Amino acid sequence: MSNPCIICVAITGSLPRKENNPAVPITVEEQVESTQAAFEAGATIAHCHVRNDDQTPSSDPEKFARLMEGLRKHCPGMIIQLSTGGRSGAGEERGGMLPLKPDMASLSVGSNNFPNRVYENPPQLVEWLADEMLKYAVKPEIEAFDLSHIHQAVQLSRQGRLKAPLYVQFVMGVKNAMPADKPTFDFYIETLKRLAPDAQWCGAGVGSNQLLLNEWSIAAGGHTRTGLEDNVRLDRDTLAPSNAALVERAAALCEKYERPVATWQQAREILGLASN
């Protein structure tokens, strides 16, 4: 039972709507219920966004606070990771929830193209978000949309702005960014191991690439992410009935590759997080 695999569930995101899949949880109450089922299926990190009543993305700290309260009550021990992504706010508004002191927060350390816009992460904002995470003892999950983002994360760590060991997520399959390419994925792992030997990593695939990245990551000894934020379908013809169903699919791959699914206690130990 060595090398447990941490499964992260990205429950909502900023884009998927009820029209895309009725199972997408929008309200805080829906998100708590959906996350609890995913937690029971084996997910130990909840990657969280919040929405307005009209389903548009929000960065309202009050909404995040209510979500955290519900998750701590119904998913005791689960690692809560809040998004500082750019679709829900501008500038420092993106980090307005960090004083809530979640276990983790996402941190994109560089800009890149998205399907129909530039995902802007200017150096000054990246440094401010990193400093805020240090201030409030929030562990960053580095979102690497490009090879340069791995190098940038290591540089920020050497400057003391990111506390080692790093946790880096390779995001692949976003249109106009890095495609799901196996040689590139392998080089990501090699590069991270060379530059930050003590780092942990995770693989996330967007859309139809979700299952592919789940399998590559689990087989290679890393951790993985699933959930309705990244993919609302089980396959081309079938909507995913829940976040839990996507977690169960990742857990089945862990069994295939003889990797135990990490418990929340193991996940916290692996990531150097205190137990609640």
Side-chain angles (χ1 to χ4, degrees):
M1 298 293 286
S2 61
N3 196 16
C5 177
I6 299 169
I7 298 177
C8 172
V9 60
I11 54 177
T12 301
S14 295
L15 291 180
R17 299 171 63 92
K18 294 285 190 184
E19 302 94 285
N20 307 122
N21 184 333
V24 175
I26 300 296
T27 67
V28 168
E29 293 75 20
E30 287 176 339
Q31 290 192 56
V32 171
E33 182 179 2
S34 184
T35 305
Q36 182 179 12
F39 181 51
E40 292 170 354
T44 47
I45 299 177
H47 175 75
C48 305
H49 294 245
V50 290
R51 302 284 192 98
N52 297 309
D53 292 341
D54 64 358
Q55 301 192 58
T56 56
S58 172
S59 57
D60 183 355
E62 190 274 333
K63 291 180 185 291
F64 275 115
R66 287 197 293 118
L67 179 58
M68 286 179 61
E69 181 182 11
L71 293 181
R72 284 175 173 162
K73 178 179 178 181
H74 294 283
C75 308
M78 192 176 199
I79 297 165
I80 299 174
Q81 181 190 106
L82 304 186
S83 172
T84 66
R87 284 194 173 97
S88 56
E92 294 183 4
E93 182 183 6
R94 288 167 51 177
M97 79 298 289
L98 294 174
L100 297 173
K101 299 183 178 181
D103 300 296
M104 300 182 72
S106 61
L107 178 63
S108 298
V109 296
S111 302
N112 60 277
N113 286 340
F114 267 7
N116 55 13
R117 69 185 186 93
V118 176
Y119 182 26
E120 294 186 22
N121 293 288
Q124 297 89 340
L125 177 60
V126 172
E127 291 171 1
W128 180 82
L129 286 169
D131 290 346
E132 288 290 285
M133 291 182 197
L134 271 180
K135 178 180 177 180
Y136 294 109
V138 178
K139 185 177 182 68
E141 178 187 77
I142 306 303
E143 309 287 345
F145 292 89
D146 184 79
L147 179 62
S148 64
H149 299 171
I150 296 174
H151 287 268
Q152 182 63 15
V154 172
Q155 182 64 26
L156 288 168
S157 178
R158 290 173 179 168
Q159 292 171 355
R161 282 199 147 100
L162 297 177
K163 187 177 178 181
L166 296 173
Y167 187 61
V168 180
Q169 180 169 265
F170 310 142
V171 185
M172 308 188 90
V174 176
K175 183 180 179 182
N176 298 328
M178 188 61 71
D181 178 70
K182 186 61 162 58
T184 302
F185 174 80
D186 293 339
F187 189 67
Y188 274 6
I189 298 171
E190 177 188 331
T191 301
L192 185 63
K193 286 182 176 178
R194 175 171 58 84
L195 298 177
D198 60 347
Q200 294 282 334
W201 62 270
C202 171
V206 175
S208 61
N209 299 293
Q210 183 176 78
L211 183 59
L212 192 62
L213 265 291
N214 288 160
E215 185 150 18
W216 289 355
S217 302
I218 293 166
H223 309 294
T224 199
R225 166 169 142 164
T226 190
L228 291 168
E229 171 177 350
D230 299 335
N231 184 21
V232 297
R233 297 182 173 275
L234 287 175
D235 56 47
R236 181 175 295 181
D237 302 316
T238 312
L239 290 176
S242 62
N243 275 302
L246 294 171
V247 172
E248 288 165 359
R249 185 168 69 173
L253 285 171
C254 290
E255 184 175 359
K256 174 181 175 180
Y257 289 98
E258 300 181 343
R259 299 271 314 276
V261 175
T263 65
W264 67 263
Q265 294 94 335
Q266 289 171 324
R268 285 181 174 275
E269 182 179 359
I270 291 166
L271 297 176
L273 298 172
S275 297
N276 284 355

